[in-house]
Amino acid sequence: MDKAQIPLPTFTILLLVVVSISLIHGSEGSIGVNYGTVANNLPPPTHVAHFLLESTIINRVRLFDADPKMIRAFAHTGIAVTVTVPNDQIPYLTKLNFAEQWLKNNIQPYTPATNIVRIFVGNEILSTASKLLIASLVPAMQTLHTALVGVSLDRRIQVSTPHSLGILSSSSPPSSGKFHQGYDIHVLKPLLSFLRATKSPFLINPYPFFGCSPETLDYALFRPNSGVFDENTKIVYTNMLDGQLDAVFSAMKLLGFDDVEIVIAETGWPSKGDSSQVGVDSQSAADYNMNLMRHVTSGNGTPLMPNRTFETYIFALFNEDLKQGPTCERNFGLFHPNMTPVYDVGILRSTVAAATADHNHHARSSIPTSNPTPKVETPQRAPEGKRWCVPKTGADIEALQRNIDYVCGMGFNCEAIQEGGSCFLPNTVRAHAAYAMNVYYQAMGRHDYACDFIQTGAVTDLDPST
């Protein structure tokens, strides 16, 4: 995403996170995440895939390239996967032989084991201002679809491309939404014709965070606010989401394509940022996503698109420590690299939540009461219920303290390791980390990846309390 190239109108669309329910519009709303990897501390893709499948309600993933390791990691999970053609390959993709070879290298070896459902041709191409890329975009999409037809994958895999909200020349009020002149007829109209013919969605990348001000923060976060009045339709919009979705819909309707489905391909809210930015805290990020989920799963749709839900991909799955730019760029993640939530937004499965609620009782019978230092380099799998997560021998104390902060910060009851608690002694970071890490491990279903903690934890079948 290139936020610097996205104009920031009065209204800015926001992401929708949707639990699987039927769309009246003819598709199924569902939760998706953008799996970015601009980081040096992320868990292996296979761990991530199993974590999403077994511990979350996320059932769709967008990859920013076609990395075979990542595509292969989602094999046999059923999770719907979208892969992306890099921008610089788009001109080559206009040639059928290149498109056929691209599919042969990047798609065919992995399907149907991996449930690849879409290919994104580039990202925000109209915002690049590259005449070559813009002129090649629709021909490349058409050629790629032709190649999919040639290998009988066209009914399984859709082709589309995401756009920033910069494609709108007007978005306020929502009923006045329209695309930039020139792009509307020469690029977006043939693109929408292609999408209609192939039953593929129109994709947008909205970021309300970058457009809101102190005065409009509540409007962006679905909090109580005075609303925004559309003089043309006499509708009062109570959240930025509905206003911006309807602006996109209005622009599509002007071109005669109000029947093409809209999908939110990428958007999110950071939990940290710079002091000059508004709403850069975990509570605002949690409010944004939680209120969003509640709103879009109601099935109410928007004023101009009632009774719909919208498939949506949150940016991003993880905080990415190598991203350039301001602090917020590295803090859009729903999860830390050790797969603990940055904040609670209701994405963990109910079974995990139930385990979390009951963790204190479980932990009292399985948490060490002394400083655990078992050798666990090659732990043996013990019978169900008799495995523990402990700090690795020699694990950095500061890293273990961060583990404590992660687990206790995500809502687990850590009273037992506070002064006066049943597991306060021995009063060492290592012993307290053993308590917190094991609580999390047990609650997450005792999967090995739930004890990784950025390679500071290990599973043992030796009861550390002895």
Side-chain angles (χ1 to χ4, degrees), residues 173-458:
S175 59
S176 71
K178 59 182 177 181
F179 298 123
H180 278 290
Q181 189 173 3
Y183 287 162
D184 55 352
I185 300 301
H186 298 294
V187 181
L188 291 168
K189 189 171 184 178
L191 190 151
L192 285 161
S193 295
F194 168 80
L195 297 178
R196 174 189 280 165
T198 59
K199 296 181 172 59
S200 301
F202 187 71
L203 307 173
I204 52 176
N205 290 350
Y207 279 88
F209 168 73
F210 290 96
C212 73
S213 64
E215 293 73 29
T216 59
L217 182 61
D218 289 341
Y219 183 65
L221 295 174
F222 295 89
R223 293 170 177 167
N225 65 90
S226 58
V228 176
F229 182 64
D230 187 326
E231 295 181 356
N232 298 327
T233 60
K234 311 304 181 186
I235 293 170
V236 176
Y237 284 82
T238 59
N239 64 81
M240 200 176 285
L241 165 68
D242 285 351
Q244 286 301 320
L245 279 176
D246 280 355
V248 173
F249 175 78
S250 296
M252 294 168 65
K253 188 175 182 179
L254 272 181
L255 295 181
F257 293 94
D258 54 328
D259 58 323
V260 175
E261 180 190 356
I262 295 174
V263 164
I264 311 302
E266 177 190 329
T267 190
W269 197 284
S271 58
K272 290 182 182 179
D274 297 316
S275 58
S276 60
Q277 296 177 303
V278 177
V280 284
D281 57 83
S282 57
Q283 186 59 57
S284 294
D287 285 351
Y288 174 67
N289 286 313
M290 197 168 293
N291 289 333
L292 174 69
M293 291 170 65
R294 187 178 299 116
H295 177 68
V296 300
T297 57
S298 67
N300 292 333
T302 72
L304 299 185
M305 295 181 287
N307 306 316
R308 300 191 191 191
T309 59
F310 298 83
E311 179 187 334
T312 303
Y313 293 77
I314 309 168
F315 188 90
L317 180 55
F318 294 113
N319 284 334
E320 297 173 76
D321 66 338
L322 297 183
K323 294 207 73 174
Q324 300 297 310
T327 303
C328 65
E329 287 290 336
R330 293 175 287 282
N331 291 280
F332 272 85
L334 294 173
F335 294 93
H336 294 289
N338 66 355
M339 293 185 285
T340 58
V342 176
Y343 48 83
D344 180 15
V345 73
I347 279 182
L348 294 177
R349 287 189 178 276
S350 57
T351 53
V352 175
T356 300
D358 192 45
H359 79 282
N360 198 34
H361 171 74
H362 190 125
R364 289 179 185 274
S365 64
S366 59
I367 297 300
T369 56
S370 61
N371 195 7
T373 55
K375 293 183 179 180
V376 292
E377 285 78 11
T378 55
Q380 299 296 313
R381 181 173 293 274
E384 183 74 2
K386 292 187 178 181
R387 303 176 77 214
W388 296 265
C389 178
V390 298
K392 280 185 177 178
T393 302
D396 181 71
I397 293 299
E398 291 185 4
L400 296 182
Q401 182 62 54
R402 287 195 294 270
N403 295 348
I404 297 171
D405 295 341
Y406 285 150
V407 175
C408 299
M410 65 178 284
F412 286 92
N413 185 349
C414 291
E415 291 180 0
I417 54 175
Q418 294 173 359
E419 188 169 1
S422 59
C423 296
F424 178 69
L425 297 176
N427 181 18
T428 66
V429 171
R430 185 179 179 85
H432 291 180
Y435 176 95
M437 292 164 66
N438 191 56
V439 164
Y440 179 79
Y441 172 71
Q442 301 296 333
M444 297 299 283
R446 294 184 289 276
H447 297 289
D448 287 352
Y449 57 75
C451 186
D452 184 75
F453 288 99
I454 317 181
Q455 301 180 4
T456 62

